[in-house]
Amino acid sequence: MAACTVYSTQSLRTNISIPTSSSKTHVGFNQKQVVFYTKSNNKRLNNTSRYLITCKASDSQTIVIGLAADSGCGKSTFMRRLTSVFGGAAEPPKGGNPDSNTLISDTTTVICLDDYHSLDRTGRKEKGVTALDPRANDFDLMYEQVKAIKDGISVQKPIYNHVTGLLDPPELIKPPKILVIEGLHPMYDSRVRDLLDFSIYLDISNEVKFAWKIQRDMAERGHSLESIKASIEARKPDFEAYIDPQKQYADAVIEVLPTQLIPDDNEGKILRVRLIQKEGVKYFSPVYLFDEGSTISWIPCGRKLTCSYPGIKFFYGPESYKGNEVSVVEMDGQFDRLDELIYVESHLSNLSSKFYGEVTQQMLKHADFPGSNNGTGLFQTIVGLKIRDLFEQIVASRAETPVGATKA
């Protein structure tokens, strides 16, 4: 059976034409699109509004992944690791806006939710709001367009230009196999949240975030320590009100903390990283160390893993997190030699790898990426493999479901 959805052309922001013939899907359902018109009393809109009804076989829906994090927390690096797992280089739309935030590969399309800012940089300054404030974002349009893409409909997505701070003309986004929405608010609006097949939150502690920003802004951009502190403090209220609460909804959280291996460390170079995995998520089996459900502390340094000071320590066990039962894998320290990661990989289970050593191979492939020598790179890579497995399971389950049994 098919699923039919009605969209307003205002939400899709695209010109709709009535096709002269229907296209037949591989399951034998004729996909059709019909446009109808209705009168509107809204003086801001044209007197006549157009709506699109689309019907398609439900097993061909785009799978939607949400990635939430504050600015400068590693979303771009994670996206590069994720798209690499699926193969093919992720690139901006060909022939499009050179300042586009979108990345497209053979399987995935990554859109930045900054594109749904309703206010440009000047507008936010005039109204006294930050980009983190929901009032500076168009969640109605975000929901309508993500839903349309999930249902197989192309949209004209707006573009927020990070160079000029302006809202540029929109760009065409076609439905991919996997859509990744990344940014500040992928889990803020319950309507958008309900569209997600899997969600991740990158949680960088204040101490690490501060250390990273000092390293970047003082060393590379010449900012003063006082201006860096002021910038962080200015964002803090909105971050705590609108961004941080989203991690309660995430299926996986990658939490980055100061090391516990060096007392009173404040440099942020050695990190303790926790992969927090929600239990009971469909198509997702948490990764575990040695024995599932046990509580384990492991120091792997020795003959098979080279460790310079302060060494490496792993932890695994069940916990409660934001009211959810979770499994946690933790790594504190960093690798001296990435090729020796295979030793650690061999003791981790439920990795969803295609072959022995795939995690190590991916890490070596992107050895120059930030975090490749510590738990951030390791757990981002593992989550990428888990998302690939989730995608394959969903596709397989749809193929096995009789068409007549599919919910309309």
Side-chain angles (χ1 to χ4, degrees), residues 22-42:
S22 60
S23 58
K24 196 169 186 179
T25 70
H26 70 281
V27 294
F29 172 73
N30 286 315
Q31 179 175 316
K32 291 179 179 293
Q33 295 179 346
V34 179
V35 176
F36 68 92
Y37 297 82
T38 184
K39 293 292 184 179
S40 172
N41 293 322
N42 190 330

Side-chain angles (χ1 to χ4, degrees), residues 204-343:
I204 315 300
S205 71
N206 290 332
E207 299 93 333
V208 173
K209 195 183 297 184
F210 182 61
W212 284 0
K213 200 164 181 63
I214 287 177
Q215 291 171 24
R216 184 190 69 181
D217 291 357
M218 287 188 71
E220 300 175 17
R221 301 179 181 179
H223 294 182
S224 67
L225 183 61
E226 290 72 22
S227 67
I228 294 171
K229 288 181 178 179
S231 174
I232 292 174
E233 289 302 314
R235 292 175 62 89
K236 196 173 181 180
D238 281 354
F239 172 79
E240 292 178 347
Y242 309 121
I243 311 305
D244 193 61
Q246 293 177 75
K247 61 190 177 188
Q248 66 185 300
Y249 305 114
D251 298 314
V253 176
I254 297 177
E255 186 178 41
V256 183
L257 302 159
T259 181
Q260 292 182 334
L261 301 175
I262 304 174
D264 302 319
D265 177 70
N266 58 7
E267 291 187 5
K269 294 181 179 179
I270 307 296
L271 302 174
R272 178 168 66 102
V273 186
R274 289 159 48 89
L275 174 57
I276 303 168
Q277 307 160 94
K278 188 182 292 183
E279 296 283 358
V281 177
K282 194 173 184 181
Y283 305 119
F284 176 73
S285 300
V287 176
Y288 63 90
L289 179 66
F290 289 114
D291 182 45
E292 189 173 14
S294 298
T295 299
I296 294 168
S297 180
W298 179 45
I299 298 176
C301 302
R303 295 180 180 179
K304 297 182 180 179
L305 190 69
T306 304
C307 299
S308 57
Y309 179 81
I312 296 175
K313 184 177 182 179
F314 279 85
F315 166 84
Y316 163 73
E319 292 184 14
S320 180
Y321 179 82
K322 305 296 179 182
N324 300 301
E325 295 303 311
V326 299
S327 291
V328 177
V329 180
E330 175 184 308
M331 175 185 167
D332 195 349
Q334 61 186 28
F335 300 108
D336 286 350
R337 294 181 51 182
L338 272 183
D339 58 323
E340 294 179 344
L341 174 59
I342 189 72
Y343 174 60

